[in-house]
């Protein structure tokens, strides 16, 4: 049963505290199901020298909203030019493209989340029919292109968007009546931007470098496509923010000045899904690896105060890229004469929990070890570069759990991601984590390792899939491998 609540929004009251170029947070278009089918057409196009998604004639990727049991029917047309003028990790760029539905527990076979066989060259069209299982957890997921060798370039150009699987209030009832914001953070290259210095000043990147990097900042973050927009929130108002780090290669250490994040879900997995009795978790900042997601309740700052959403500096290691702190958005008070904003669907069904006893798995030796290495010739997993026609590096029997160790032998951070499944990250460098977390992407410290328990129990995942570093430039240059779910 679904009931509708009318939420109240407002117009933005521009704040002198922000940049002169500040504007309200853009609201991306949203696509919803009709008769349990979400139907849309996406085009891959090149606009002003950058690749982009085109939807309904606009270059704003839509938020796809679906419920468990729905089907996503997506027609994806590659309208990119036959010859690319851009630079890829492995040249020449072929302008091939496809879609990956990041974090969803769905089939890796065509016409669903097949990143190995479904590829469209310019002029070709792909037809996706993605079946969301009826017992799929609610949460924030996302879609992005995944053509090996060109993923980084297309991701940096902004070819990504959010997916919301409805029903979070089943696991966190307090979010049902809150205003919801979907916030997509992407990296924007400064390499050939004539306004690079002004953009660095606008987001307040410090001139002093904060990590071990040797280069100046090469990217700034955009928020729903905008540089340092304004987010309206009344004093003491509680809002439900759903944030995705859609940058292909930059970390976020999220902080909200003077406020905390009351965490509801990470990487699309409600905290209560595996631990129904888990106590509330709040934090004043959270590291979000590329591809990571945070869903949290935030509270508006007191009247008369100024607060910003920012990312702190992340030291990515002596061989890593610069990842400086910067302001992402400013919080402003709303106009008192605000009109109704939107209707929010609420799922009244009882929650389904999945508690798991992982302690026996932690005590044994790893079932499989993933080792990240790199040299001047490329990036490797267990000494091998990815080859499209290679056999799977490992197999997993559907219906089981496995203990994996992810080892990083390089001098920079690497985020590990595996398609189709989530895992429990419970230890780093042999030390138990204070907050073990169910994720689909985990940061692996340089010259260190993490231990995870992978959940291979869902029968819909059967087929050939992949795992890789989610610094997409590294994935493009070889840091990916196949896994067969059998």
């Amino acid at each position: 049963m679904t009931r509708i609540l009318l939420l109240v929004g407002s117009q933005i009251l521009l704040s002198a505290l922000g940049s002169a170029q500040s504007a309200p947070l853009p609201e991306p278009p949203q696509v919803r199901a009709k008769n349990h089918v979400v139907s849309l057409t996406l085009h891959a196009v090149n606009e002003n020298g950058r690749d982009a998604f085109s939807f309904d004639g606009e270059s704003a990727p839509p938020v796809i909203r679906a419920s468990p049991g729905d089907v996503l029917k997506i027609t994806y047309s590659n309208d990119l030019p036959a010859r690319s003028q851009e630079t890829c990790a492995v040249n020449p760029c072929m302008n091939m493209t496809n879609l990956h539905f990041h974090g969803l527990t769905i089939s890796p076979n065509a016409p669903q989340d097949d990143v190995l066989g479904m590829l469209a060259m310019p002029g070709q069209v792909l037809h996706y029919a993605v079946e969301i299982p009826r017992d799929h957890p609610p949460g924030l997921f996302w879609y992005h292109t995944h053509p090996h060798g060109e993923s980084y370039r297309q991701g940096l150009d902004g070819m990504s968007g959010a997916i919301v699987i409805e029903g979070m209030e089943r696991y966190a009832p307090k979010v049902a009546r809150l205003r919801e914001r979907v916030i997509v953070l992407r990296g924007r290259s400064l390499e050939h931007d004539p306004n690079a210095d002004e953009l660095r000043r606008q987001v307040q990147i410090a001139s002093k470098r904060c990590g071990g990097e040797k280069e100046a900042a090469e990217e700034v973050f955009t928020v729903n496509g905008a540089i340092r927009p304004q987010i309206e929130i009344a004093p003491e108002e509680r809002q439900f923010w759903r944030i995705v780090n859609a940058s292909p290669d930059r970390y976020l250490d999220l902080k909200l000045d003077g406020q905390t994040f009351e965490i509801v879900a990470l990487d699309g997995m409600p905290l209560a899904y595996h631990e129904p009795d888990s106590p509330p978790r709040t934090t004043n900042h959270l590291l979000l690896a590329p591809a990571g997601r945070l869903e949290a309740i935030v509270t508006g700052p007191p009247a008369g105060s100024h607060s910003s959403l920012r990312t702190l500096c992340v030291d990515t290691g002596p061989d890593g890229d610069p990842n400086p702190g910067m302001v992402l958005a400013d919080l402003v008070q709303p106009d008192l004469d605000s009109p109704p904003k939107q209707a929010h669907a609420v799922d009244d069904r009882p929650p389904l929990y999945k508690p798991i006893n992982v302690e026996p798995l932690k005590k044994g030796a790893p079932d499989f070890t993933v080792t990240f290495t790199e040299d001047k010739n490329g990036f490797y997993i267990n000494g091998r570069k990815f080859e499209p026609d290679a056999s799977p590096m490992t197999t997993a029997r559907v219906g089981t759990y496995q203990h994996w160790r992810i080892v990083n032998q390089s001098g920079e951070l690497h985020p590990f991601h595996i398609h189709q499944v989530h895992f429990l990250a419970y230890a780093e460098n042999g030390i138990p984590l204070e907050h073990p977390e169910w994720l689909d992407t985990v940061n692996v410290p340089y010259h260190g390792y993490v231990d995870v328990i992978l959940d291979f129990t869902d029968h819909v995942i059967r087929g050939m899939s992949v795992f890789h570093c989610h610094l997409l430039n590294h994935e493009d240059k070889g840091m990916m491998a196949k896994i067969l779910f059998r």
Side-chain angles (χ1 to χ4, degrees), residues 407-452:
V407 180
N408 180 1
Q409 293 185 349
S410 77
E412 63 179 313
L413 301 182
H414 290 290
F416 167 83
H417 170 57
I418 184 168
H419 292 202
Q420 319 327 130
V421 303
H422 279 71
F423 50 79
L424 177 68
Y426 69 89
E428 181 176 304
N429 295 333
I431 301 173
L433 294 173
E434 180 182 1
H435 298 288
E437 297 168 338
W438 284 93
L439 307 168
D440 59 48
T441 308
V442 65
N443 174 55
V444 188
Y446 54 91
H447 303 309
Y449 64 94
V450 296
D451 284 281
V452 301

Side-chain angles (χ1 to χ4, degrees), residues 21 48 50 156-157 187-203 217-222 225-227:
Q21 298 180 6
N48 302 316
R50 294 168 60 91
L156 190 60
D157 281 355
R188 172 173 161 180
S189 176
L190 300 176
E191 185 178 2
H192 302 297
D193 195 320
N195 300 314
D197 289 340
E198 172 57 30
L199 289 174
R200 290 188 183 98
R201 285 192 294 270
Q202 186 176 344
V203 299
E218 302 165 339
E219 296 178 26
V220 294
F221 275 99
T222 64
I227 298 288

